[in-house]
Amino acid sequence: MNSDQLFKDRARVLDEDLAGRASTAGADALLMQVVSLERVPARRRLRLSPGRALLGLAAAAAAVAVIAPAMLSDSTISIAPQPSTSVSVTAEPTAQQILLAAAVAVEKAPASGDYWRTATINQWMLTDPTRSYVLEGRRSAEVWLAKRPDLPSWRMRQDLGVKPATPRDEAAWRAAGAPTTWRYPKDMKTENLFSVPSRPLEAAAGERTGERLHWKTVGDLAGKSLTWQEMRAIPGEPETLRSYLEERIGRLDLAGSGMDVEEARAYILIRNCVDIISTLPASPETRASAYRVLASLPGIRAEAEMTDPLGRPGQVLSYQEEIEPGVFSKVQLVVDPGTGLLLAEVRTNTTKLANGRQAELRLSTSYQAIGWTDERPEPPTHRN
């Protein structure tokens, strides 16, 4: 059985089994055959351990770009879990089953439109400047990338305000005089858990703004930008996609980074697959293949179902990355296997406050919409 047929057989089995149409011993046997064949790849597989990640890559991706909520009409690809989809098995699904079910589902997504649209809510936690309590901030953003040269591309953003993260933090905030503005020293020590804000944080929400984009690129993979033409050239089959990504990653100079090069490459491979699934204007086949590449990698495990930061239920996949020697960040991907859409990406760290209390710091991106649409953006009056 060659690798392409392997992926197709595996997807077929899971598509039937998870939809409740063929939960049989024969399907289980074929699935086991496919899984066992994957354990003996034709070439060396990148290893992923809870080892070092590419420092700053995840933080840069998750800490800044963030999206404004908008009304979603019928033609928009809105991310909402499908209650009609059920798993007809008694045991909890494995990470591989979740990823492969998502791959089958996302292949059915629209393949074209006038705009590629992503809408997100970014939430982050950081300590106040005195490290007495934890604050939570939110930003929203929408990006509308026009495929046609005669249509304008837009990005809309809005700061949604900052507040104490928990009731315990609120009590400490009130004891500190209930400030509504926080200014941070540039040399504040953060253990690489969050970026020091370059400007004061405000409790009040900001104005929604729009920016006309004149980008000639649509995103990047492995640190290099992609044009529309290069985006269309990304392979749509799992094995060729993985080879394509590994070739791009192999060009990166990681030797002087102080990290284990193989582990850094393995993490970047995961990161690139997630980018294809969530933000890049890739074809449904390429996005499905990104899920299948993830399903073939070690180090990703399934957790119990949970709700994402916007309250939507989904299946959880997790792995760890080392953001600093001895400092680990837990990464959770909340996926809806019924639609194949990524609902959220959540990173969790812990830190010690000035009074010795251990506190969680979470950084998340929740996706409200991903995909092609023929709708038109509605930029706000305030435009940059």
Side-chain angles (χ1 to χ4, degrees), residues 10-94:
R10 183 179 58 183
R12 174 176 56 80
V13 170
L14 279 158
D15 189 27
E16 294 172 349
D17 186 50
L18 293 178
R21 293 193 295 271
S23 184
T24 65
D28 291 340
L30 180 54
L31 178 59
M32 290 305 297
Q33 178 193 13
V34 171
V35 171
S36 65
L37 282 172
E38 279 199 76
R39 291 173 183 154
V40 188
R43 54 191 169 81
R44 181 176 57 80
R45 172 184 290 174
L46 288 178
R47 296 177 296 105
L48 177 73
S49 67
R52 294 178 177 154
L54 187 59
L55 292 177
L57 183 61
V64 206
V66 151
I67 304 175
M71 299 301 291
L72 306 177
S73 71
D74 292 340
S75 60
T76 302
I77 306 166
S78 176
I79 298 179
Q82 301 301 303
S84 59
T85 302
S86 61
V87 178
S88 62
V89 291
T90 55
E92 291 293 328
T94 66

Side-chain angles (χ1 to χ4, degrees), residues 13-203:
V13 170
L14 279 158
D15 189 27
E16 294 172 349
D17 186 50
L18 293 178
R21 293 193 295 271
S23 184
T24 65
D28 291 340
L30 180 54
L31 178 59
M32 290 305 297
Q33 178 193 13
V34 171
V35 171
S36 65
L37 282 172
E38 279 199 76
R39 291 173 183 154
V40 188
R43 54 191 169 81
R44 181 176 57 80
R45 172 184 290 174
L46 288 178
R47 296 177 296 105
L48 177 73
S49 67
R52 294 178 177 154
L54 187 59
L55 292 177
L57 183 61
V64 206
V66 151
I67 304 175
M71 299 301 291
L72 306 177
S73 71
D74 292 340
S75 60
T76 302
I77 306 166
S78 176
I79 298 179
Q82 301 301 303
S84 59
T85 302
S86 61
V87 178
S88 62
V89 291
T90 55
E92 291 293 328
T94 66
Q96 189 178 62
Q97 288 173 326
I98 294 168
L99 289 164
L100 295 175
V104 171
V106 82
E107 283 179 318
K108 303 170 185 175
S112 64
D114 288 339
Y115 280 95
W116 175 263
R117 180 193 176 198
T118 56
T120 63
I121 298 291
N122 224 43
Q123 295 174 260
W124 71 96
M125 292 181 181
L126 73 171
T127 69
D128 79 297
T130 67
R131 299 186 69 88
S132 300
Y133 52 89
V134 176
L135 294 168
E136 179 183 68
R138 297 197 308 155
R139 292 193 190 106
S140 67
E142 283 182 85
V143 175
W144 296 70
L145 295 178
K147 189 167 62 174
R148 288 167 34 191
D150 61 311
L151 293 175
S153 295
W154 286 94
R155 176 171 60 190
M156 281 81 81
R157 295 183 287 187
Q158 183 179 17
D159 286 329
L160 300 176
V162 177
K163 64 178 182 178
T166 68
R168 192 170 180 179
D169 295 309
E170 183 177 358
W173 167 72
R174 292 189 183 281
T180 57
T181 300
W182 297 266
R183 290 178 171 83
Y184 288 76
K186 293 181 179 180
D187 60 349
M188 181 176 176
K189 304 298 183 183
T190 68
E191 303 160 305
N192 204 33
L193 297 178
F194 60 87
S195 298
V196 177
S198 59
R199 57 188 175 85
L201 296 183
E202 302 288 343

